[in-house]
Amino acid sequence: MLPPDLSRLLDLNWYLFPVSRVTKKTPFRGAKDNASSDRRQIEEWYREFPGCNWRVHPGKSRVFCLDIDRAGNLHECDGFATMRDLVSKHGPLPRGPRLKTGGSGGVVAFFRHDGQELRGGAGALGPGIDVSTVRGAACPTVPPSVHQVSGGRYLWYPGCAPWEISLPPIPAWVCEKLKPLPEPELDPVEITDEYAARLLGYYADDIRNAPSGASNRTLYACAFKAGRLVSAGKISYSDAVQALRIAAQARVKPEKRGSIMPTIKSGLDAGVRVT
Protein backbone atom coordinates (compact mmCIF):
# COMPACT_ATOMS: atom_id res chain seq x y z
CA MET A 1 0.00 0.00 0.00
CA LEU A 2 1.28 3.46 -0.89
CA PRO A 3 2.06 6.02 1.83
CA PRO A 4 -0.84 8.47 2.29
CA ASP A 5 1.19 11.43 0.99
CA LEU A 6 1.80 9.73 -2.36
CA SER A 7 -1.72 8.39 -2.63
CA ARG A 8 -3.22 11.84 -2.10
CA LEU A 9 -0.99 13.39 -4.76
CA LEU A 10 -2.18 10.75 -7.21
CA ASP A 11 -5.76 11.69 -6.35
CA LEU A 12 -4.83 15.18 -7.56
CA ASN A 13 -3.45 13.74 -10.82
CA TRP A 14 0.12 14.73 -9.98
CA TYR A 15 2.78 12.82 -11.90
CA LEU A 16 5.47 11.10 -9.81
CA PHE A 17 8.70 9.21 -10.37
CA PRO A 18 11.21 7.49 -8.05
CA VAL A 19 14.69 8.80 -7.19
CA SER A 20 17.50 7.17 -5.22
CA ARG A 21 17.62 8.25 -1.57
CA VAL A 22 21.42 8.04 -1.70
CA THR A 23 22.57 9.50 -5.04
CA LYS A 24 19.64 11.60 -6.36
CA LYS A 25 19.76 9.52 -9.54
CA THR A 26 16.69 7.83 -10.92
CA PRO A 27 16.72 4.03 -10.51
CA PHE A 28 16.13 3.46 -14.22
CA ARG A 29 16.73 5.31 -17.46
CA GLY A 30 13.93 7.65 -18.49
CA ALA A 31 12.20 7.69 -15.09
CA LYS A 32 11.51 11.42 -15.21
CA ASP A 33 10.17 11.34 -18.76
CA ASN A 34 7.94 8.43 -17.76
CA ALA A 35 6.57 10.09 -14.62
CA SER A 36 3.08 8.73 -14.04
CA SER A 37 -0.15 9.48 -12.23
CA ASP A 38 -1.35 5.92 -12.72
CA ARG A 39 -1.77 4.31 -9.30
CA ARG A 40 -0.85 0.85 -10.50
CA GLN A 41 2.39 2.10 -12.02
CA ILE A 42 3.37 4.00 -8.87
CA GLU A 43 2.55 0.99 -6.71
CA GLU A 44 4.75 -1.16 -8.96
CA TRP A 45 7.67 1.27 -8.60
CA TYR A 46 7.06 1.50 -4.86
CA ARG A 47 7.47 -2.28 -4.56
CA GLU A 48 10.38 -2.44 -6.99
CA PHE A 49 12.38 0.39 -5.39
CA PRO A 50 11.64 0.23 -1.65
CA GLY A 51 12.79 3.18 0.41
CA CYS A 52 13.29 5.45 -2.59
CA ASN A 53 12.55 9.17 -2.69
CA TRP A 54 9.84 10.65 -4.88
CA ARG A 55 9.67 13.68 -7.14
CA VAL A 56 6.89 15.49 -8.95
CA HIS A 57 7.11 16.27 -12.66
CA PRO A 58 5.84 19.88 -12.72
CA GLY A 59 5.13 19.98 -16.44
CA LYS A 60 2.91 16.92 -16.52
CA SER A 61 1.29 17.87 -13.23
CA ARG A 62 0.68 21.44 -14.42
CA VAL A 63 2.28 22.92 -11.33
CA PHE A 64 4.87 25.66 -10.93
CA CYS A 65 7.29 25.71 -8.00
CA LEU A 66 9.61 28.15 -6.28
CA ASP A 67 12.31 26.32 -4.27
CA ILE A 68 13.63 28.83 -1.73
CA ASP A 69 16.94 27.74 -0.20
CA ARG A 70 18.05 28.55 3.33
CA ALA A 71 21.71 29.56 3.55
CA GLY A 72 23.94 27.18 5.50
CA ASN A 73 26.10 24.11 5.01
CA LEU A 74 24.20 22.94 1.92
CA HIS A 75 23.57 26.29 0.21
CA GLU A 76 25.67 29.43 0.01
CA CYS A 77 22.92 31.68 -1.34
CA ASP A 78 20.16 32.92 0.96
CA GLY A 79 16.92 32.46 -0.95
CA PHE A 80 14.93 33.78 2.00
CA ALA A 81 16.73 37.13 1.81
CA THR A 82 16.13 37.24 -1.94
CA MET A 83 12.43 36.50 -1.49
CA ARG A 84 12.10 39.13 1.26
CA ASP A 85 13.49 41.72 -1.13
CA LEU A 86 11.12 40.60 -3.88
CA VAL A 87 7.95 40.62 -1.78
CA SER A 88 8.86 44.00 -0.28
CA LYS A 89 8.72 45.39 -3.82
CA HIS A 90 5.90 43.33 -5.32
CA GLY A 91 3.75 42.08 -2.44
CA PRO A 92 3.49 38.73 -0.63
CA LEU A 93 3.06 35.39 -2.31
CA PRO A 94 -0.53 34.09 -2.20
CA ARG A 95 -1.38 31.32 0.25
CA GLY A 96 -1.00 27.87 -1.21
CA PRO A 97 0.73 24.53 -0.75
CA ARG A 98 4.05 24.83 1.09
CA LEU A 99 6.69 22.18 1.63
CA LYS A 100 9.63 22.19 4.05
CA THR A 101 12.68 20.66 2.38
CA GLY A 102 14.72 17.99 4.10
CA GLY A 103 18.10 19.54 3.40
CA SER A 104 18.51 23.20 4.32
CA GLY A 105 15.02 23.52 5.76
CA GLY A 106 14.05 25.66 2.82
CA VAL A 107 10.56 26.09 1.43
CA VAL A 108 8.96 25.02 -1.83
CA ALA A 109 5.92 27.08 -2.80
CA PHE A 110 3.51 25.50 -5.32
CA PHE A 111 1.28 27.31 -7.81
CA ARG A 112 -1.12 26.41 -10.61
CA HIS A 113 0.52 26.53 -14.03
CA ASP A 114 -1.89 27.82 -16.66
CA GLY A 115 0.38 27.29 -19.65
CA GLN A 116 2.50 30.44 -19.43
CA GLU A 117 5.89 30.20 -21.15
CA LEU A 118 8.31 31.05 -18.35
CA ARG A 119 12.04 30.81 -17.80
CA GLY A 120 13.20 28.46 -15.06
CA GLY A 121 16.27 26.99 -13.43
CA ALA A 122 18.58 27.86 -10.57
CA GLY A 123 18.61 31.54 -9.66
CA ALA A 124 16.03 32.52 -12.26
CA LEU A 125 14.33 34.85 -9.75
CA GLY A 126 17.53 35.67 -7.90
CA PRO A 127 20.18 33.97 -5.73
CA GLY A 128 18.91 30.99 -3.77
CA ILE A 129 15.58 30.57 -5.59
CA ASP A 130 15.22 27.69 -8.03
CA VAL A 131 12.30 27.75 -10.44
CA SER A 132 10.54 24.60 -11.67
CA THR A 133 8.52 25.25 -14.80
CA VAL A 134 6.32 23.30 -17.15
CA ARG A 135 9.34 21.81 -18.97
CA GLY A 136 10.20 19.87 -15.83
CA ALA A 137 13.98 20.27 -15.72
CA ALA A 138 13.90 20.80 -11.95
CA CYS A 139 11.48 18.47 -10.20
CA PRO A 140 10.63 19.02 -6.53
CA THR A 141 11.11 16.23 -4.03
CA VAL A 142 8.01 15.43 -1.98
CA PRO A 143 7.14 13.49 1.21
CA PRO A 144 7.77 10.85 2.39
CA SER A 145 11.25 11.47 0.98
CA VAL A 146 14.41 11.99 3.04
CA HIS A 147 17.33 14.24 2.08
CA GLN A 148 20.29 12.20 0.86
CA VAL A 149 22.87 14.21 2.87
CA SER A 150 21.22 15.60 5.99
CA GLY A 151 18.71 12.81 6.55
CA GLY A 152 16.03 15.43 7.12
CA ARG A 153 12.48 14.63 6.07
CA TYR A 154 10.48 16.54 3.51
CA LEU A 155 7.25 17.67 5.17
CA TRP A 156 4.13 19.55 4.16
CA TYR A 157 3.47 22.49 6.45
CA PRO A 158 0.32 22.01 8.56
CA GLY A 159 -2.75 22.90 6.55
CA CYS A 160 -0.61 23.54 3.46
CA ALA A 161 -0.63 20.19 1.70
CA PRO A 162 -2.04 20.42 -1.85
CA TRP A 163 -5.06 18.32 -0.89
CA GLU A 164 -5.80 20.79 1.94
CA ILE A 165 -5.39 24.08 0.09
CA SER A 166 -5.85 24.86 -3.59
CA LEU A 167 -3.04 25.82 -5.91
CA PRO A 168 -3.09 29.59 -6.40
CA PRO A 169 -2.24 31.17 -9.76
CA ILE A 170 1.32 32.30 -10.31
CA PRO A 171 1.64 35.95 -9.19
CA ALA A 172 1.66 38.36 -12.12
CA TRP A 173 4.97 39.89 -11.02
CA VAL A 174 6.63 36.46 -11.03
CA CYS A 175 5.37 35.82 -14.57
CA GLU A 176 6.65 39.21 -15.67
CA LYS A 177 10.12 38.60 -14.26
CA LEU A 178 10.34 35.14 -15.80
CA LYS A 179 8.90 36.06 -19.19
CA PRO A 180 11.26 34.76 -21.89
CA LEU A 181 12.95 37.38 -23.98
CA PRO A 182 12.45 37.10 -27.72
CA GLU A 183 15.42 36.03 -29.76
CA PRO A 184 17.05 39.30 -30.81
CA GLU A 185 16.71 40.24 -34.45
CA LEU A 186 19.66 42.62 -34.06
CA ASP A 187 23.13 41.93 -35.30
CA PRO A 188 25.26 40.84 -32.31
CA VAL A 189 27.37 43.98 -32.74
CA GLU A 190 24.33 46.09 -31.81
CA ILE A 191 23.55 44.14 -28.62
CA THR A 192 24.75 45.76 -25.38
CA ASP A 193 27.28 43.94 -23.22
CA GLU A 194 24.72 43.65 -20.40
CA TYR A 195 22.10 42.13 -22.70
CA ALA A 196 24.69 39.72 -24.11
CA ALA A 197 25.49 38.48 -20.61
CA ARG A 198 21.78 37.92 -19.96
CA LEU A 199 21.44 36.04 -23.25
CA LEU A 200 24.26 33.72 -22.22
CA GLY A 201 22.30 32.96 -19.05
CA TYR A 202 19.19 32.19 -21.11
CA TYR A 203 21.17 29.88 -23.37
CA ALA A 204 22.36 28.04 -20.25
CA ASP A 205 18.72 27.71 -19.11
CA ASP A 206 17.79 26.25 -22.49
CA ILE A 207 20.55 23.66 -22.14
CA ARG A 208 19.45 22.65 -18.62
CA ASN A 209 15.82 22.44 -19.76
CA ALA A 210 16.46 20.59 -23.00
CA PRO A 211 13.92 17.81 -23.61
CA SER A 212 15.00 14.21 -23.48
CA GLY A 213 16.80 13.20 -26.65
CA ALA A 214 17.64 16.78 -27.64
CA SER A 215 20.33 17.71 -25.12
CA ASN A 216 23.28 17.54 -27.51
CA ARG A 217 21.44 19.33 -30.31
CA THR A 218 20.38 22.07 -27.91
CA LEU A 219 23.91 22.39 -26.55
CA TYR A 220 25.34 22.87 -30.04
CA ALA A 221 22.67 25.42 -31.02
CA CYS A 222 23.21 27.48 -27.87
CA ALA A 223 26.99 27.28 -28.23
CA PHE A 224 26.65 28.54 -31.81
CA LYS A 225 24.58 31.54 -30.69
CA ALA A 226 27.05 32.24 -27.88
CA GLY A 227 29.85 32.08 -30.46
CA ARG A 228 28.23 34.93 -32.36
CA LEU A 229 28.34 37.04 -29.21
CA VAL A 230 32.00 36.11 -28.72
CA SER A 231 32.75 37.12 -32.29
CA ALA A 232 31.12 40.51 -31.67
CA GLY A 233 33.26 41.04 -28.56
CA LYS A 234 30.26 41.04 -26.22
CA ILE A 235 31.30 38.07 -24.06
CA SER A 236 34.60 36.26 -23.66
CA TYR A 237 35.23 32.81 -25.07
CA SER A 238 36.18 31.48 -21.61
CA ASP A 239 33.00 32.86 -19.99
CA ALA A 240 30.92 31.22 -22.70
CA VAL A 241 32.66 27.89 -22.22
CA GLN A 242 32.19 27.98 -18.46
CA ALA A 243 28.48 28.88 -18.56
CA LEU A 244 27.67 26.29 -21.23
CA ARG A 245 29.75 23.55 -19.57
CA ILE A 246 28.14 24.00 -16.15
CA ALA A 247 24.67 23.96 -17.69
CA ALA A 248 25.42 20.86 -19.75
CA GLN A 249 26.91 19.00 -16.77
CA ALA A 250 23.68 19.60 -14.89
CA ARG A 251 21.76 18.07 -17.80
CA VAL A 252 23.69 14.90 -18.66
CA LYS A 253 24.81 11.91 -16.64
CA PRO A 254 28.46 11.78 -15.48
CA GLU A 255 29.38 8.94 -17.83
CA LYS A 256 28.36 11.05 -20.84
CA ARG A 257 30.15 14.26 -19.87
CA GLY A 258 33.12 13.47 -22.07
CA SER A 259 31.08 14.56 -25.08
CA ILE A 260 30.25 17.98 -23.66
CA MET A 261 33.39 19.95 -24.47
CA PRO A 262 33.72 18.81 -28.10
CA THR A 263 30.12 19.90 -28.73
CA ILE A 264 30.62 23.25 -26.99
CA LYS A 265 33.86 23.96 -28.86
CA SER A 266 32.36 22.93 -32.18
CA GLY A 267 29.31 25.16 -31.71
CA LEU A 268 31.27 28.13 -30.37
CA ASP A 269 33.85 27.98 -33.11
CA ALA A 270 31.15 27.77 -35.79
CA GLY A 271 29.42 30.79 -34.30
CA VAL A 272 32.67 32.75 -34.09
CA ARG A 273 33.38 32.10 -37.78
CA VAL A 274 30.02 33.54 -38.89
CA THR A 275 30.44 37.07 -40.19
Side-chain angles (χ1 to χ4, degrees), residues 136-171:
C139 300
T141 304
V142 293
S145 301
V146 175
H147 193 269
Q148 80 281 359
V149 175
S150 72
R153 292 192 171 276
Y154 290 79
L155 299 169
W156 296 106
Y157 280 96
C160 292
W163 52 87
E164 297 174 309
I165 185 170
S166 299
L167 288 167
I170 306 169

Side-chain angles (χ1 to χ4, degrees), residues 49-83:
F49 310 111
C52 68
N53 282 345
W54 293 88
R55 290 190 175 183
V56 170
H57 192 296
K60 292 184 176 182
S61 305
R62 308 302 296 177
V63 299
F64 173 91
C65 312
L66 298 180
D67 186 347
I68 307 167
D69 295 330
R70 188 182 299 277
N73 294 333
L74 296 176
H75 301 287
E76 293 182 5
C77 296
D78 188 349
F80 282 73
T82 301
M83 184 55 70

Side-chain angles (χ1 to χ4, degrees), residues 7-188:
S7 183
R8 288 165 177 158
L9 291 182
L10 293 177
D11 289 340
L12 297 173
N13 201 38
W14 284 27
Y15 284 69
L16 309 174
F17 63 95
V19 180
S20 168
R21 186 169 286 189
V22 178
T23 66
K24 277 190 173 182
K25 295 181 180 178
T26 57
F28 60 92
R29 186 180 180 88
K32 185 180 79 171
D33 293 337
N34 288 287
S36 178
S37 62
D38 181 81
R39 188 173 297 273
R40 288 175 297 179
Q41 177 63 79
I42 300 303
E43 288 175 346
E44 180 180 331
W45 287 339
Y46 185 75
R47 290 191 299 269
E48 188 174 356
F49 310 111
C52 68
N53 282 345
W54 293 88
R55 290 190 175 183
V56 170
H57 192 296
K60 292 184 176 182
S61 305
R62 308 302 296 177
V63 299
F64 173 91
C65 312
L66 298 180
D67 186 347
I68 307 167
D69 295 330
R70 188 182 299 277
N73 294 333
L74 296 176
H75 301 287
E76 293 182 5
C77 296
D78 188 349
F80 282 73
T82 301
M83 184 55 70
R84 280 195 297 270
D85 289 342
L86 289 169
V87 299
S88 69
K89 298 174 183 176
H90 305 287
L93 297 176
R95 290 190 70 248
R98 296 285 190 275
L99 174 70
K100 181 180 180 181
T101 65
S104 68
V107 173
V108 182
F110 292 79
F111 304 87
R112 185 181 74 243
H113 199 291
D114 295 320
Q116 305 96 319
E117 181 66 24
L118 302 172
R119 293 184 292 110
L125 265 184
I129 301 179
D130 297 344
V131 178
S132 300
T133 64
V134 69
R135 288 188 285 183
C139 300
T141 304
V142 293
S145 301
V146 175
H147 193 269
Q148 80 281 359
V149 175
S150 72
R153 292 192 171 276
Y154 290 79
L155 299 169
W156 296 106
Y157 280 96
C160 292
W163 52 87
E164 297 174 309
I165 185 170
S166 299
L167 288 167
I170 306 169
W173 66 264
V174 173
C175 293
E176 182 63 27
K177 283 186 170 294
L178 297 178
K179 185 167 58 176
L181 293 179
E183 188 69 25
E185 299 292 338
L186 301 173
D187 185 282

